[in-house]
Amino acid sequence: MKLLYKDVDKEGEGTVGLIAEEPEDMWHAYNLISEGDLVRSTTIRKVQSESATGSSTSNRVRTTLTICVENIDFDTQACVLRLKGRNVEENQYVKMGAYHTLDLELNRKFSLKKHEWDSIALERVDVACDPVQTADVAAVIMQEGLAHVCLITSSMTLIRAKIDVTIPRKRKGFVQQHEKGLNKFYDNVMQAILRHINFDIVKCILIASPGFVRDQFYEYMFQMAIKTDNKVLLDNKSKFMLVHASSGFKHSLKEVLQDSGVINKISDTKAAGEVKALEGFYTMLQCEPAKAFYGKKHCESANEAQAIETLLISDNLFRCSNVALRKEYVKLVDSVRETGGEVKIFSSMHISGEQLDNLTGVAAILRFPMPELEDEESDDEN
Amino acid sequence: MSRHRNVRSINVNEEYEGYDDVYGHSVEDDYCVSPSEAAFMYDREGSKNKQKIGAFFQSVNDIAEENEGENESKEANLSDIDKARLESCVDQIRQIVSSGIPRQELVNIILLYNFNVEKAINFILGCPQYNHITEKKAVVPKDVDPSNIKVVTPGTKTTNITKGFDLVQKEVNRLNVTPRSQSPASGRATPTPDQNDEGKNLKQKESKFDVNVQYKKERGNAKENLYMVVIGHVDAGKSTLMGHLLCALGQVNQKTMHKYEQESRKVGKQSFMYAWVLDETGEERNRGITMDVGRSQFETETKLVTLLDAPGHKDFIPNMISGAGQADVALLVVDATRGEFETGFDFGGQTREHALLVRSLGVSQLAVAINKLDTVSWSQERFKEITQKLKLFLKHAGFKENDVTFVPCSGLTGQNLTGKPTENELLQWYAGPCLLDVIDNFRTPERPIAKPFRFSINDVFKGTGSNFCVSGRVETGTLSLGERILVCPSREMATVKGLAIEEVSQQTVFAGDQVSVTLSGIDIQNVSIGYILCLSQNPVQIASKFQARIVVFNVTVPMTKGYSVVMHHQSLVEPVIVSKLINQLHKSTGEIINKHPRCLSNNSSAMVEIQASRPLALELYSECKELGRIMLRVGGVTIAAGLITKIVL
């Protein structure tokens, strides 16, 4: 993301001009824009014009529109952000108040005006515009008959392909069917890798599985690569890394990102940091339950006592349409920072973020035990 | 409606063990009966009108039973208060142990222990004469106690009816209501069966009635089928032990064995030659470990045993679970070599996990083969040491002491497998049965053939010809050739074109059989491992959200709301989320100790709500034990076992 200008006054009202450069920036934009914001960008609109004789023609024109956002749609697979709202600036093609749906495009400037830029939003702009490129990692999580091919970027984990085949079990005298099914499965996974992974960008490809599936697959893949003389695979052989995982389901990615070998290789990705933080929370919950709490109510009471050392919060909570609720969460984050606590904002697109979302979206590790909180009725009903 | 028939022909004693204290109700109460039958029946109608429980018990004593007089005299001496205490004691005990004990014996025991319920229960549990009826009060409710009575005959009906007299009225109602209100016709998302058709129902009843007779006719004379899973830590020698056993029984021909010997020597793994009998894929042979469940069959004197050789390696536990889910009994193999047993048992080995798993999967009989005793020169001390350690643990895991047998043996040398040992060192101190005898001594569990048909798929493969086959186990009920069946949860209809047990085609298969079913009228894409086959007039429930009562094992991180786990249900492996922690329960009494707990840590028991991402075919534990059990695993470790208690949709 490129920041063109930032014009935010003391009250927090103002406009920011941005250019999205990669698909991931769309994710940041999705997290920035909330309902009621004004977005100005160039777009294509179908305009109908009526000639003097009464025949109507329609043609598509490129025009710049400003809309007041009413509906936000994010396609995670294609990384496309779609904003729907009413036009607030009339021009020759579009009347005031007419509905329009903006598709934010890559490499085109857009400006975002908010009535209130809170700390979270401003921080998001900073993060998004950080030019330091983090390593892109691809991972293949597999078990016999099931594989997920995913891309892990700094703030998103994208499932690119899911391969789910039934492989006949080995049975007396029918071993061939099992082995044939297995080979077909490996072939599918290999095709998915070739199709979805861009070896120029990806720095490392993790192949994770229980048992020997990964070794078998690795062997199969390179045998096939030699057979078909696939240069791309052979050139990138060193990028592959075999890791243990307990199953082929998506959440096993968590285990993969905790593997020490993987941490060394991808060191600074947000994904690995988040997994570690969440693990820390669970460990604390096991060892000292009075120092780990989750749920909004518990976290807020802990914050009142200035007890929060680390706050884990999912960005999902800041995307809610309820402005008052969002403000409460922003206040929580700000006050934790003020009291010297650390705040980790999890991306809900990562595995750990997904898990945090299921765990009410907010969790805290405390400085000192607060057993009195345990007796309080938690609010995990909502 | 066919359920009525089920209840009618039920052997209440067998059927409702493990079903808390719901015993003894007969549908006959609601039906017209012939005068000749009525003569044998206890008239409950009279007592039904009196709602007073005390009065109810009074009338109970009027029924003549064995040794009634003695009991009367003892009870008569009691004061009113003592009588009331006695009644409450009886009730409490009956809640824990099931109905099989005659009332006045209970009374005697209670009087003996001076109204101390705990002691009385201990006495009952400890007393071998009650073993066939007692039930431990461990948290995971126990399976139907296996007994040798194979067929539920209608002839036992009259005695069953008299069993019901100490039932409190409330319970009678419950029994009456439950099956009906949970019948599939109660408006669940399953296809509505046309069940108004009275004629059809009658026909069905007729056919259900025939089932018992047919089962007896077809299987009465043959050897009993027994499914045995072999479990244990990796490299304990499971495959070798079983390979050698098969070899010794002549199931493997000399030529093949010679081939294996030659080939295994070629790759420098001669000690694996017996394991190759069961490990067939190239991968397994090269690595020298079992990866998927191997199957084989052999015969003992009284039984036809189907062997399921489970993999021991940690990563293949999912395969082991699908194998153990189909087994009636288990053989736990432990390595007696110094250090090896300890790694397998104490230091995070699979011996513990496997044993817990099979217990939670409903296997109640276990034989423990202390393998590789030749490496410690058949030392009796070593055998004793291991036996003691295991005994304690297995008792904890919920195995009854006399359902566990220990056998010293050696898989590689073949000592004590099929005949008396020849090693003098072993003969000096061991005179017990050999492994084959132990297997032969297993009791065959009762097969629930009268229940609605359920079949869980654990393999899908292309058979000969254009159709494809699914294989798996008939959990309950029966299936005949040509029947239309419903594949759940995809809700597709299919026709049974062929049935085969171990490649031998059959007309009808019964509960407990492992069958490969050839299906037609359905695409292979729409069937996958873990699906359930049932009949459309009595379908399995389909839901993506349900409640379960779980027992949490040793966990490194506590289970919280929103925890994502892998659920094993029969052969199905599915990622699910623990969406709600409803109550934390006391481990043995089941009382609620904490509403909405924040987290569940080691060894706790709780009621939770589980959410799956897609609909699954499930059953309540109370309706179908086989399909009501679940396992939860995380990161390659089993963290909890549970029973489905409520289906939310």
Side-chain angles (χ1 to χ4, degrees), chain A residues 280-292, chain B residues 556-558 599 601:
Chain A
F281 172 77
Y282 272 106
T283 317
M284 189 58 90
L285 196 59
Q286 172 83 327
C287 308
E288 277 185 86
K291 275 175 80 178
Chain B
T556 45
V557 289
C599 63
S601 43

Side-chain angles (χ1 to χ4, degrees), chain B residues 5-11 15 150-156 205-220 446-451 477-478 508 510:
Chain B
R5 190 48 83 167
N6 295 349
V7 179
R8 193 186 252 248
S9 56
I10 249 170
N11 181 339
E15 201 64 33
K150 239 173 38 174
V151 181
V152 186
T153 48
T156 53
K205 275 185 199 170
E206 220 55 60
S207 70
K208 282 290 172 209
F209 193 74
D210 281 339
V211 158
N212 291 327
V213 182
Q214 204 184 341
Y215 183 72
K216 209 170 181 180
K217 202 171 78 193
E218 284 200 15
R219 301 285 165 82
E446 185 210 347
R447 311 288 184 198
I449 46 171
K451 283 191 169 181
T478 62
T508 312
F510 302 96

